[in-house]
Amino acid sequence: MDEHFCRACILLCMDFRLHEHLDAFMTRHGLGADRADVIRVAGAVKSLARPDDPRDRERLLEMFTVSYELHHAREFHLVNHEDCGAYGLEKIADDEREIETHRGDLRRAREVLAERFPDVEVHCHFAWLDGDIECVD
Ligand SMILES: [Zn+2]
């Protein structure tokens, strides 16, 4: 059964520009050794925070449920990122406005997950494309 155990589940955007940062992120959070499930969808938490279609949120929650029930993950990491095409923010030059939008969605997504999985720790992060990933409280 050990092979079906992992510590965490990470949700991040499908954007190819994040590929190279994922390993460093996992190492920094000690997830390399303890293993983690990875969910990659366009926009990351957008469909949890304010889905265009409620079924999008349910599909994401189903994936977290698999990680929770089958793999026993009790730590979720949510990673949104700079210049995300799913947000259509490419034209916004103001980094502060952009990151505030993401912070709001990350916090809302954390509430949605905490409601469904009360015993899970949910951590929010914002990734800059230069590889810097900051925590969002
Ligand atoms: Zn994206």
Side-chain angles (χ1 to χ4, degrees), residues 1-11 31 34-40 59-78 113 116-117 119-121:
M1 288 301 278
D2 262 5
E3 70 272 16
H4 283 116
F5 182 91
C6 71
R7 193 177 103 207
C9 182
I10 304 169
L11 169 66
L31 298 173
D34 293 342
R35 298 182 288 191
D37 287 328
V38 179
I39 301 169
R40 300 201 68 159
R59 275 187 214 102
L60 265 175
L61 287 171
E62 282 166 20
M63 287 187 253
F64 277 106
T65 300
V66 169
S67 185
Y68 180 88
E69 289 183 353
L70 190 64
H71 300 159
H72 311 285
R74 291 296 181 271
E75 189 180 309
F76 293 165
H77 292 270
L78 313 177
L113 287 169
R116 183 75 63 105
F117 307 96
D119 61 335
V120 170
E121 274 179 53

Short mmCIF file of all heavy atoms in Angstrom, two decimals, residues 1-11 31 34-40 59-78 113 116-117 119-121:
data_model
loop_
_atom_site.label_atom_id
_atom_site.label_comp_id
_atom_site.label_asym_id
_atom_site.label_seq_id
_atom_site.Cartn_x
_atom_site.Cartn_y
_atom_site.Cartn_z
N MET A 1 0.83 -1.21 0.00
CA MET A 1 0.00 0.00 0.00
C MET A 1 0.85 1.25 0.00
O MET A 1 0.39 2.32 -0.34
CB MET A 1 -0.94 0.01 1.22
CG MET A 1 -2.08 -0.99 1.13
SD MET A 1 -3.14 -0.75 -0.29
CE MET A 1 -4.21 0.56 0.29
N ASP A 2 2.12 1.10 0.43
CA ASP A 2 3.01 2.25 0.51
C ASP A 2 3.14 3.01 -0.79
O ASP A 2 3.26 4.21 -0.81
CB ASP A 2 4.41 1.82 0.97
CG ASP A 2 4.56 2.06 2.46
OD1 ASP A 2 3.56 2.45 3.08
OD2 ASP A 2 5.68 1.87 2.96
N GLU A 3 3.08 2.28 -1.87
CA GLU A 3 3.26 2.95 -3.16
C GLU A 3 2.08 3.85 -3.50
O GLU A 3 2.14 4.63 -4.43
CB GLU A 3 3.53 1.94 -4.28
CG GLU A 3 2.35 1.08 -4.66
CD GLU A 3 2.25 -0.19 -3.82
OE1 GLU A 3 2.91 -0.28 -2.75
OE2 GLU A 3 1.51 -1.09 -4.22
N HIS A 4 0.98 3.69 -2.74
CA HIS A 4 -0.18 4.55 -2.96
C HIS A 4 -0.27 5.67 -1.94
O HIS A 4 -1.33 6.22 -1.69
CB HIS A 4 -1.47 3.72 -2.98
CG HIS A 4 -1.65 2.98 -4.24
ND1 HIS A 4 -1.66 1.60 -4.31
CD2 HIS A 4 -1.78 3.41 -5.51
CE1 HIS A 4 -1.80 1.23 -5.56
NE2 HIS A 4 -1.88 2.31 -6.31
N PHE A 5 0.85 5.99 -1.36
CA PHE A 5 0.87 7.03 -0.35
C PHE A 5 1.74 8.19 -0.83
O PHE A 5 2.86 8.00 -1.29
CB PHE A 5 1.45 6.47 0.95
CG PHE A 5 1.46 7.46 2.07
CD1 PHE A 5 0.39 7.57 2.94
CD2 PHE A 5 2.55 8.30 2.25
CE1 PHE A 5 0.40 8.50 3.97
CE2 PHE A 5 2.56 9.23 3.28
CZ PHE A 5 1.49 9.32 4.14
N CYS A 6 1.21 9.40 -0.75
CA CYS A 6 2.06 10.57 -0.99
C CYS A 6 1.63 11.66 -0.03
O CYS A 6 0.54 11.63 0.53
CB CYS A 6 2.00 11.04 -2.45
SG CYS A 6 0.48 11.81 -2.94
N ARG A 7 2.51 12.63 0.20
CA ARG A 7 2.25 13.62 1.22
C ARG A 7 1.33 14.74 0.73
O ARG A 7 0.51 15.26 1.46
CB ARG A 7 3.58 14.22 1.68
CG ARG A 7 3.45 15.04 2.95
CD ARG A 7 4.80 15.54 3.41
NE ARG A 7 4.95 16.94 3.10
CZ ARG A 7 6.12 17.53 2.89
NH1 ARG A 7 7.24 16.82 2.92
NH2 ARG A 7 6.18 18.81 2.64
N ALA A 8 1.51 15.12 -0.53
CA ALA A 8 0.86 16.36 -0.98
C ALA A 8 0.26 16.24 -2.37
O ALA A 8 0.55 15.30 -3.12
CB ALA A 8 1.90 17.48 -0.97
N CYS A 9 -0.57 17.20 -2.67
CA CYS A 9 -1.10 17.34 -4.02
C CYS A 9 -0.88 18.80 -4.44
O CYS A 9 -1.19 19.72 -3.68
CB CYS A 9 -2.59 16.99 -4.04
SG CYS A 9 -3.31 17.09 -5.69
N ILE A 10 -0.31 18.98 -5.63
CA ILE A 10 0.00 20.32 -6.13
C ILE A 10 -0.92 20.63 -7.32
O ILE A 10 -1.04 19.82 -8.22
CB ILE A 10 1.46 20.40 -6.62
CG1 ILE A 10 2.42 19.99 -5.50
CG2 ILE A 10 1.80 21.79 -7.14
CD1 ILE A 10 3.85 19.78 -5.99
N LEU A 11 -1.54 21.80 -7.28
CA LEU A 11 -2.33 22.26 -8.43
C LEU A 11 -1.60 23.44 -9.05
O LEU A 11 -1.32 24.43 -8.38
CB LEU A 11 -3.72 22.72 -7.97
CG LEU A 11 -4.57 23.46 -9.02
CD1 LEU A 11 -4.96 22.56 -10.19
CD2 LEU A 11 -5.84 24.03 -8.37
N LEU A 31 9.09 17.90 -1.11
CA LEU A 31 8.15 16.96 -1.72
C LEU A 31 8.82 15.98 -2.68
O LEU A 31 8.19 15.05 -3.14
CB LEU A 31 7.05 17.74 -2.47
CG LEU A 31 6.21 18.63 -1.58
CD1 LEU A 31 5.28 19.49 -2.43
CD2 LEU A 31 5.42 17.80 -0.59
N ASP A 34 9.03 12.76 -0.49
CA ASP A 34 7.74 12.28 0.01
C ASP A 34 6.70 12.12 -1.10
O ASP A 34 5.63 11.61 -0.87
CB ASP A 34 7.19 13.25 1.06
CG ASP A 34 8.03 13.26 2.31
OD1 ASP A 34 8.81 12.31 2.50
OD2 ASP A 34 7.92 14.22 3.09
N ARG A 35 7.03 12.58 -2.26
CA ARG A 35 6.16 12.45 -3.43
C ARG A 35 4.91 13.33 -3.34
O ARG A 35 4.41 13.64 -2.26
CB ARG A 35 5.78 10.99 -3.68
CG ARG A 35 7.00 10.14 -3.95
CD ARG A 35 6.61 8.74 -4.24
NE ARG A 35 6.16 8.06 -3.04
CZ ARG A 35 5.96 6.75 -2.97
NH1 ARG A 35 6.15 6.01 -4.03
NH2 ARG A 35 5.56 6.19 -1.85
N ALA A 36 4.43 13.68 -4.50
CA ALA A 36 3.24 14.53 -4.57
C ALA A 36 2.48 14.23 -5.85
O ALA A 36 3.09 13.95 -6.89
CB ALA A 36 3.64 16.00 -4.53
N ASP A 37 1.18 14.28 -5.77
CA ASP A 37 0.36 14.25 -6.98
C ASP A 37 0.42 15.64 -7.59
O ASP A 37 0.55 16.64 -6.87
CB ASP A 37 -1.10 13.94 -6.63
CG ASP A 37 -1.30 12.48 -6.25
OD1 ASP A 37 -0.58 11.62 -6.79
OD2 ASP A 37 -2.19 12.22 -5.42
N VAL A 38 0.33 15.71 -8.92
CA VAL A 38 0.35 17.00 -9.59
C VAL A 38 -0.86 17.10 -10.52
O VAL A 38 -1.08 16.24 -11.37
CB VAL A 38 1.64 17.19 -10.41
CG1 VAL A 38 1.63 18.54 -11.13
CG2 VAL A 38 2.88 17.07 -9.52
N ILE A 39 -1.65 18.14 -10.30
CA ILE A 39 -2.80 18.42 -11.18
C ILE A 39 -2.43 19.65 -11.99
O ILE A 39 -2.07 20.69 -11.42
CB ILE A 39 -4.08 18.73 -10.35
CG1 ILE A 39 -4.45 17.57 -9.44
CG2 ILE A 39 -5.23 19.10 -11.28
CD1 ILE A 39 -5.54 17.92 -8.42
N ARG A 40 -2.51 19.54 -13.31
CA ARG A 40 -2.17 20.70 -14.15
C ARG A 40 -3.36 21.04 -15.04
O ARG A 40 -3.77 20.23 -15.87
CB ARG A 40 -0.93 20.38 -15.00
CG ARG A 40 0.28 20.04 -14.13
CD ARG A 40 1.57 20.23 -14.85
NE ARG A 40 1.79 21.64 -15.12
CZ ARG A 40 3.00 22.15 -15.38
NH1 ARG A 40 4.05 21.37 -15.43
NH2 ARG A 40 3.13 23.43 -15.62
N ARG A 59 -14.99 18.95 -11.22
CA ARG A 59 -13.95 18.07 -11.79
C ARG A 59 -12.63 18.24 -11.03
O ARG A 59 -11.95 17.26 -10.75
CB ARG A 59 -13.73 18.39 -13.27
CG ARG A 59 -14.70 17.67 -14.17
CD ARG A 59 -14.36 17.86 -15.65
NE ARG A 59 -15.62 17.91 -16.38
CZ ARG A 59 -16.19 19.02 -16.84
NH1 ARG A 59 -15.59 20.18 -16.71
NH2 ARG A 59 -17.35 18.97 -17.45
N LEU A 60 -12.29 19.45 -10.70
CA LEU A 60 -11.06 19.67 -9.94
C LEU A 60 -11.17 19.06 -8.54
O LEU A 60 -10.24 18.42 -8.06
CB LEU A 60 -10.77 21.17 -9.83
CG LEU A 60 -9.82 21.75 -10.86
CD1 LEU A 60 -9.73 23.25 -10.71
CD2 LEU A 60 -8.43 21.13 -10.71
N LEU A 61 -12.32 19.25 -7.91
CA LEU A 61 -12.51 18.68 -6.58
C LEU A 61 -12.44 17.15 -6.62
O LEU A 61 -11.93 16.52 -5.70
CB LEU A 61 -13.84 19.15 -5.97
CG LEU A 61 -13.85 20.61 -5.53
CD1 LEU A 61 -15.27 21.05 -5.16
CD2 LEU A 61 -12.90 20.85 -4.35
N GLU A 62 -12.91 16.56 -7.72
CA GLU A 62 -12.80 15.10 -7.88
C GLU A 62 -11.34 14.67 -7.91
O GLU A 62 -10.97 13.64 -7.35
CB GLU A 62 -13.50 14.64 -9.17
CG GLU A 62 -15.02 14.57 -9.04
CD GLU A 62 -15.70 14.44 -10.40
OE1 GLU A 62 -15.03 14.04 -11.39
OE2 GLU A 62 -16.90 14.76 -10.47
N MET A 63 -10.51 15.45 -8.60
CA MET A 63 -9.09 15.10 -8.67
C MET A 63 -8.43 15.20 -7.30
O MET A 63 -7.64 14.35 -6.90
CB MET A 63 -8.36 15.97 -9.70
CG MET A 63 -8.73 15.59 -11.12
SD MET A 63 -7.73 16.48 -12.33
CE MET A 63 -8.94 17.62 -12.97
N PHE A 64 -8.78 16.27 -6.55
CA PHE A 64 -8.25 16.38 -5.18
C PHE A 64 -8.76 15.22 -4.33
O PHE A 64 -8.04 14.72 -3.45
CB PHE A 64 -8.65 17.72 -4.55
CG PHE A 64 -7.75 18.86 -4.94
CD1 PHE A 64 -8.18 19.83 -5.83
CD2 PHE A 64 -6.47 18.97 -4.41
CE1 PHE A 64 -7.36 20.89 -6.20
CE2 PHE A 64 -5.63 20.02 -4.76
CZ PHE A 64 -6.08 20.98 -5.65
N THR A 65 -9.99 14.79 -4.56
CA THR A 65 -10.55 13.68 -3.78
C THR A 65 -9.77 12.40 -4.03
O THR A 65 -9.51 11.62 -3.11
CB THR A 65 -12.05 13.48 -4.13
OG1 THR A 65 -12.74 14.69 -3.80
CG2 THR A 65 -12.65 12.33 -3.35
N VAL A 66 -9.37 12.15 -5.27
CA VAL A 66 -8.56 10.98 -5.58
C VAL A 66 -7.24 11.05 -4.82
O VAL A 66 -6.81 10.08 -4.20
CB VAL A 66 -8.29 10.87 -7.10
CG1 VAL A 66 -7.22 9.82 -7.39
CG2 VAL A 66 -9.58 10.55 -7.84
N SER A 67 -6.61 12.20 -4.84
CA SER A 67 -5.34 12.37 -4.15
C SER A 67 -5.53 12.15 -2.64
O SER A 67 -4.72 11.51 -1.98
CB SER A 67 -4.78 13.77 -4.42
OG SER A 67 -3.51 13.91 -3.85
N TYR A 68 -6.63 12.66 -2.11
CA TYR A 68 -6.93 12.56 -0.68
C TYR A 68 -7.27 11.13 -0.27
O TYR A 68 -6.72 10.60 0.70
CB TYR A 68 -8.11 13.50 -0.38
CG TYR A 68 -8.55 13.53 1.06
CD1 TYR A 68 -7.96 14.41 1.96
CD2 TYR A 68 -9.56 12.68 1.51
CE1 TYR A 68 -8.37 14.44 3.28
CE2 TYR A 68 -9.97 12.71 2.83
CZ TYR A 68 -9.38 13.58 3.71
OH TYR A 68 -9.79 13.61 5.02
N GLU A 69 -8.17 10.51 -1.02
CA GLU A 69 -8.67 9.19 -0.60
C GLU A 69 -7.74 8.06 -1.02
O GLU A 69 -7.50 7.13 -0.27
CB GLU A 69 -10.07 8.96 -1.17
CG GLU A 69 -11.11 9.83 -0.49
CD GLU A 69 -12.53 9.58 -0.98
OE1 GLU A 69 -12.69 8.81 -1.95
OE2 GLU A 69 -13.45 10.17 -0.40
N LEU A 70 -7.25 8.12 -2.25
CA LEU A 70 -6.44 7.00 -2.76
C LEU A 70 -4.98 7.12 -2.36
O LEU A 70 -4.33 6.13 -2.04
CB LEU A 70 -6.58 6.95 -4.28
CG LEU A 70 -6.01 5.72 -4.97
CD1 LEU A 70 -6.75 4.45 -4.55
CD2 LEU A 70 -6.09 5.89 -6.49
N HIS A 71 -4.47 8.35 -2.36
CA HIS A 71 -3.05 8.53 -2.08
C HIS A 71 -2.78 9.15 -0.70
O HIS A 71 -1.65 9.38 -0.34
CB HIS A 71 -2.40 9.41 -3.17
CG HIS A 71 -2.53 8.82 -4.53
ND1 HIS A 71 -2.42 9.55 -5.68
CD2 HIS A 71 -2.75 7.53 -4.92
CE1 HIS A 71 -2.59 8.75 -6.73
NE2 HIS A 71 -2.79 7.53 -6.29
N HIS A 72 -3.86 9.47 0.01
CA HIS A 72 -3.77 9.96 1.39
C HIS A 72 -3.02 11.29 1.51
O HIS A 72 -2.40 11.56 2.55
CB HIS A 72 -3.12 8.90 2.29
CG HIS A 72 -3.75 7.55 2.11
ND1 HIS A 72 -4.98 7.23 2.62
CD2 HIS A 72 -3.34 6.46 1.41
CE1 HIS A 72 -5.30 6.00 2.27
NE2 HIS A 72 -4.32 5.51 1.53
N ALA A 73 -3.04 12.11 0.49
CA ALA A 73 -2.41 13.44 0.57
C ALA A 73 -3.16 14.28 1.59
O ALA A 73 -4.40 14.34 1.59
CB ALA A 73 -2.45 14.12 -0.79
N ARG A 74 -2.40 14.93 2.49
CA ARG A 74 -3.01 15.78 3.51
C ARG A 74 -2.44 17.19 3.48
O ARG A 74 -2.53 17.94 4.44
CB ARG A 74 -2.82 15.16 4.91
CG ARG A 74 -3.62 13.87 5.11
CD ARG A 74 -5.13 14.12 5.05
NE ARG A 74 -5.91 12.89 5.26
CZ ARG A 74 -6.28 12.06 4.29
NH1 ARG A 74 -5.96 12.29 3.03
NH2 ARG A 74 -6.99 10.98 4.57
N GLU A 75 -1.81 17.53 2.37
CA GLU A 75 -1.22 18.86 2.19
C GLU A 75 -1.46 19.23 0.73
O GLU A 75 -1.05 18.49 -0.16
CB GLU A 75 0.28 18.72 2.49
CG GLU A 75 1.06 19.98 2.58
CD GLU A 75 2.54 19.66 2.89
OE1 GLU A 75 2.81 18.89 3.84
OE2 GLU A 75 3.39 20.14 2.14
N PHE A 76 -2.17 20.32 0.51
CA PHE A 76 -2.42 20.76 -0.86
C PHE A 76 -1.65 22.06 -1.11
O PHE A 76 -1.63 22.96 -0.26
CB PHE A 76 -3.91 21.04 -1.10
CG PHE A 76 -4.80 19.82 -1.04
CD1 PHE A 76 -6.19 19.99 -0.92
CD2 PHE A 76 -4.31 18.53 -1.13
CE1 PHE A 76 -7.04 18.90 -0.87
CE2 PHE A 76 -5.16 17.42 -1.08
CZ PHE A 76 -6.53 17.61 -0.95
N HIS A 77 -1.03 22.16 -2.27
CA HIS A 77 -0.33 23.38 -2.68
C HIS A 77 -1.00 23.93 -3.93
O HIS A 77 -1.16 23.21 -4.92
CB HIS A 77 1.15 23.09 -2.97
CG HIS A 77 1.93 22.73 -1.75
ND1 HIS A 77 2.57 23.68 -0.99
CD2 HIS A 77 2.15 21.54 -1.15
CE1 HIS A 77 3.17 23.07 0.03
NE2 HIS A 77 2.94 21.79 -0.04
N LEU A 78 -1.37 25.19 -3.89
CA LEU A 78 -2.02 25.85 -5.02
C LEU A 78 -1.05 26.88 -5.58
O LEU A 78 -0.55 27.72 -4.84
CB LEU A 78 -3.31 26.54 -4.56
CG LEU A 78 -4.24 25.70 -3.68
CD1 LEU A 78 -5.43 26.54 -3.22
CD2 LEU A 78 -4.72 24.46 -4.42
N LEU A 113 -11.51 24.45 -0.74
CA LEU A 113 -10.87 23.17 -0.40
C LEU A 113 -10.99 22.87 1.09
O LEU A 113 -11.21 21.72 1.48
CB LEU A 113 -9.40 23.19 -0.83
CG LEU A 113 -9.17 23.10 -2.33
CD1 LEU A 113 -7.72 23.40 -2.67
CD2 LEU A 113 -9.56 21.72 -2.88
N ARG A 116 -14.28 21.34 1.89
CA ARG A 116 -14.43 19.95 1.44
C ARG A 116 -13.48 19.00 2.17
O ARG A 116 -13.80 17.85 2.40
CB ARG A 116 -14.19 19.90 -0.07
CG ARG A 116 -14.39 18.54 -0.72
CD ARG A 116 -15.85 18.15 -0.88
NE ARG A 116 -16.60 19.02 -1.74
CZ ARG A 116 -16.97 18.70 -3.00
NH1 ARG A 116 -16.64 17.54 -3.50
NH2 ARG A 116 -17.68 19.54 -3.72
N PHE A 117 -12.30 19.52 2.52
CA PHE A 117 -11.27 18.66 3.16
C PHE A 117 -10.76 19.36 4.43
O PHE A 117 -9.67 19.93 4.45
CB PHE A 117 -10.09 18.45 2.19
CG PHE A 117 -10.47 17.94 0.83
CD1 PHE A 117 -10.64 18.83 -0.23
CD2 PHE A 117 -10.65 16.58 0.62
CE1 PHE A 117 -10.98 18.36 -1.50
CE2 PHE A 117 -10.99 16.11 -0.65
CZ PHE A 117 -11.16 17.00 -1.71
N ASP A 119 -9.42 18.52 7.14
CA ASP A 119 -8.18 18.11 7.82
C ASP A 119 -6.94 18.25 6.93
O ASP A 119 -5.89 17.73 7.26
CB ASP A 119 -8.29 16.67 8.33
CG ASP A 119 -8.53 15.66 7.22
OD1 ASP A 119 -9.07 16.06 6.17
OD2 ASP A 119 -8.16 14.49 7.40
N VAL A 120 -7.09 18.98 5.82
CA VAL A 120 -5.95 19.17 4.92
C VAL A 120 -5.36 20.57 5.12
O VAL A 120 -6.10 21.54 5.28
CB VAL A 120 -6.39 18.99 3.45
CG1 VAL A 120 -5.29 19.43 2.49
CG2 VAL A 120 -6.76 17.54 3.19
N GLU A 121 -4.04 20.66 5.11
CA GLU A 121 -3.36 21.96 5.10
C GLU A 121 -3.33 22.47 3.68
O GLU A 121 -2.86 21.76 2.79
CB GLU A 121 -1.89 21.79 5.51
CG GLU A 121 -1.58 21.80 6.96
CD GLU A 121 -0.08 21.58 7.14
OE1 GLU A 121 0.72 22.31 6.53
OE2 GLU A 121 0.25 20.65 7.88
#
